[in-house]
Amino acid sequence: MRRVVYAVLLVVGLFLVIAPLSIPVFTSNTPFSVLNTGWDGCSRFGKLLYGTADGKIVPVFSPFDSFGLSGKRGTLLIIGPDMGYSSAEIDEIREFLKNGGTLVLMDDFGTGNEILVGLGLSARFSGKPYRDVFYYKNENFPVLVRILDPALAQNVSGVILNVPSVLQGVGGEIYTSKVAVVGSDFSQYPVMAEVGYGEGRVILFSDPSVFINDMYGLNENFIRNFADYAFSGPVYIDEAHHSNFNLYQRGYITVRRSADSETIFYVFLFVALIALFVESGLAWLVVEKTLALVSRLLPSEAGEPVEAVVRRLSERGYREDILLKMVREIETGRKLGGGK
């Protein structure tokens, strides 16, 4: 009979290890949201960050001052914001950076400059598209080939942009060609730049569209390099400053799990330890000591028979037949290796 019990424990243990797991999933149709699986969302980028940050991804749906950003550590991602930031929120970002955090700010024609002004930085997003002689399909998709940082350039022949702006007032790690045009000005402009701030750093990128699902396949090698370069967990992703943010659907995904040999070994070991605990008599010794302790704690007259104690316990809701059986087994030593 005991063998059957131990076999059942093994089966249940292995089932819990390999059984499919259902996980709730929320989706959105907001541009640049990591919860948006459509063409203009960043769900593929979010999935990549999930692996880069060891799964420590935290979407932020509230103002930074109520979220308590200044007390956090890690990376704050702001991508394609189109709502303003309060002075209290910018103060939170400032303290987050001073304490060693990283801000990754991706913007083109939105409100990213509010943050840069509030932090007292000279860098700005131009807010105007640029044109270049190097492009992918048409002039709306210029190609960057001047990537100065070797870590960002690894296995990358070029980065394809999508109606981008440029950075001004700062040097950079990635540049346009020398004949890029912003308005009527020909020059070479940075598209990505890194600036130190306190114990932390600010990383600017002037085209958030590089990271949307529709562009991901064209720029995957660069995006992977950028994720390794810029992010360390946990990663806080700003969803609160997308004006039309919404969660329009909830669903579930089923994760199929499998157990490796090490996990199976630990399941067997756990069941074996249970068997050893029971068969050695330790389990019943624990029961005996517990009953003795209960007998001492319960009010009773000196010399009161055990049967009387059992009856009083049964009046309090305990099963009398089970209690009497346990007493008999302890007295005969049957469960302790003494009786037959």
Side-chain angles (χ1 to χ4, degrees), residues 54-311:
D54 298 325
K56 299 176 182 178
I57 297 294
V58 183
V60 180
F61 303 110
S62 59
F64 294 154
D65 46 328
S66 61
F67 176 68
L69 177 67
S70 60
K72 311 292 185 183
R73 297 293 183 273
T75 306
L76 171 64
L77 170 61
I78 299 178
I79 180 168
D82 62 352
M83 289 182 64
Y85 292 81
S86 68
S87 58
E89 289 183 295
I90 294 176
D91 288 342
E92 290 286 315
I93 297 174
R94 181 183 298 108
E95 293 304 312
F96 173 75
L97 291 169
K98 287 182 177 180
N99 292 331
T102 296
L103 168 63
V104 179
L105 177 56
M106 302 176 179
D107 196 17
D108 43 19
F109 316 112
T111 55
N113 283 339
E114 285 186 9
I115 297 174
L116 299 178
V117 171
L119 294 176
L121 296 175
S122 60
R124 297 288 186 272
F125 296 98
S126 69
K128 299 178 181 179
Y130 88 89
R131 299 289 182 262
D132 207 332
V133 295
F134 302 102
Y135 55 83
Y136 171 55
K137 293 187 293 187
N138 57 55
E139 61 181 10
N140 290 323
F141 298 88
V143 178
L144 299 173
V145 294
R146 189 163 184 239
I147 304 174
L148 302 184
D149 191 295
L152 292 170
Q154 186 176 3
N155 299 320
V156 176
S157 58
V159 181
I160 301 174
L161 307 183
N162 185 346
V163 193
S165 70
V166 296
L167 296 171
Q168 296 174 328
V170 66
E173 279 67 44
I174 302 178
Y175 283 86
T176 68
S177 76
K178 294 182 178 181
V179 291
V181 181
V182 176
S184 59
D185 298 326
F186 286 83
S187 186
Q188 177 175 259
Y189 300 94
V191 171
M192 175 187 163
E194 178 177 335
V195 180
Y197 198 99
E199 296 296 321
R201 57 180 180 157
V202 178
I203 298 174
L204 306 173
F205 200 94
S206 63
D207 184 18
S209 296
V210 167
F211 301 87
I212 64 174
N213 296 329
D214 195 48
M215 301 289 292
Y216 188 94
L218 298 173
N219 294 305
E220 182 170 359
N221 287 343
F222 170 75
I223 292 173
R224 290 183 178 277
N225 293 345
F226 182 82
D228 291 334
Y229 175 93
F231 293 88
S232 58
V235 176
Y236 306 99
I237 303 177
D238 180 18
E239 297 285 3
H241 295 86
H242 294 145
S243 60
N244 59 343
F245 179 79
N246 63 83
L247 290 171
Y248 73 90
Q249 185 175 356
R250 174 177 175 175
Y252 291 89
I253 59 173
T254 300
V255 178
R256 300 286 178 180
R257 298 183 292 175
S258 60
D260 54 28
S261 57
E262 182 179 0
T263 304
I264 293 175
F265 166 76
Y266 284 118
V267 172
F268 273 89
L269 179 61
F270 177 72
V271 175
L273 289 174
I274 292 177
L276 179 63
F277 181 65
V278 173
E279 298 298 334
S280 66
L282 291 174
W284 304 108
L285 182 60
V286 171
V287 172
E288 178 186 17
K289 296 297 184 182
T290 302
L291 279 178
L293 178 61
V294 170
S295 297
R296 289 196 299 270
L297 294 176
L298 287 175
S300 61
E301 298 178 0
E304 183 180 11
V306 173
E307 287 78 4
V309 175
V310 169
R311 280 196 299 274

